[in-house]
Amino acid sequence: MEKNISNDSQKENDDKNDKAISNQASNVDSHYMEFSLGEENYAIPLLKVREVISTPDTTLIPNSPSYFVGIMNLRGQVITVVDLRKKMGINSECKHKEEAVIIVDIHGINLGIVVDSINKVLEVDMTKLSDISGLKGKINTDYFIGSARFDGVLVTLLDLEKVFTSSRAFAA
């Protein structure tokens, strides 16, 4: 009987250690690149970012969606460039001098996304994110991981894979 109690105690300790390891692993994507779209700030996992470049010359493709900027040649690789503002239905009246293209990897495919400016790299404590699934508006919150304040600024974490792999679109 004592042996069973000892085994139960050991199993409890093992479970606690597994949870601690799992919690550490869940924070693997805790570094995010923050950028601006219009008046709002968003962030994507830094592990998805391949590089940041200035806005390139692109070749338009006829009959493409309104958020599709074109295709570009980046060191011999053809990359599709999309305007994330248009894809998400965010008004950005004027061109920003700091406009940039973030090259991201989504399921092994490189994609360029146009943003108004690159702000900084954030270290995100995933346990402190606010749930925004209950928000109502014209933007589909299914594409958001959550939000948090950094130095008093609200930043929304985006799930880029859902944004670009879902057939559902933002208001365009």
Side-chain angles (χ1 to χ4, degrees):
M1 184 74 169
E2 288 181 22
K3 192 172 185 179
N4 285 342
I5 292 173
S6 177
N7 284 342
D8 288 343
S9 177
Q10 180 64 36
K11 186 173 183 329
E12 250 179 57
N13 285 337
D14 289 346
D15 288 344
K16 286 180 183 175
N17 288 337
D18 288 345
K19 284 182 181 178
I21 291 170
S22 176
N23 286 340
Q24 289 174 347
S26 68
N27 287 332
V28 167
D29 289 339
S30 63
H31 288 88
Y32 280 71
M33 175 176 281
E34 179 191 338
F35 54 90
S36 297
L37 296 174
E39 300 297 322
E40 300 173 17
N41 294 326
Y42 296 91
I44 57 175
L46 196 55
L47 290 175
K48 297 285 182 192
V49 176
R50 294 290 176 229
E51 64 182 288
V52 176
I53 61 173
S54 60
T55 307
D57 291 331
T58 57
T59 303
L60 295 174
I61 303 295
N63 301 319
S64 57
S66 63
Y67 59 86
F68 187 83
V69 176
I71 56 174
M72 62 175 265
N73 184 334
L74 182 65
R75 294 184 291 279
Q77 183 180 13
V78 176
I79 295 177
T80 300
V81 179
V82 298
D83 188 329
L84 195 55
R85 296 166 293 209
K86 289 182 180 175
K87 176 74 175 162
M88 294 178 58
I90 296 171
N91 287 332
S92 186
E93 302 274 328
C94 59
K95 287 233 173 210
H96 292 260
K97 292 178 183 174
E98 300 171 3
E99 189 175 87
V101 173
I102 305 172
I103 307 296
V104 296
D105 179 350
I106 299 177
H107 298 295
I109 298 173
N110 288 333
L111 179 71
I113 56 172
V114 179
V115 298
D116 287 332
S117 65
I118 304 294
N119 299 342
K120 59 190 166 198
V121 173
L122 302 171
E123 188 168 335
V124 179
D125 182 349
M126 301 303 279
T127 63
K128 294 186 178 177
L129 290 180
S130 298
D131 181 21
I132 55 175
S133 61
L135 292 178
K136 294 185 178 181
K138 68 180 192 177
I139 294 178
N140 187 343
T141 57
D142 292 344
Y143 306 118
F144 300 149
I145 297 169
S147 65
R149 290 201 177 275
F150 298 91
D151 298 327
V153 177
L154 182 66
V155 178
T156 303
L157 305 185
L158 280 178
D159 186 335
L160 272 182
E161 292 177 2
K162 285 185 180 176
V163 172
F164 290 107
T165 58
S166 172
S167 60
R168 293 176 61 189
F170 289 97

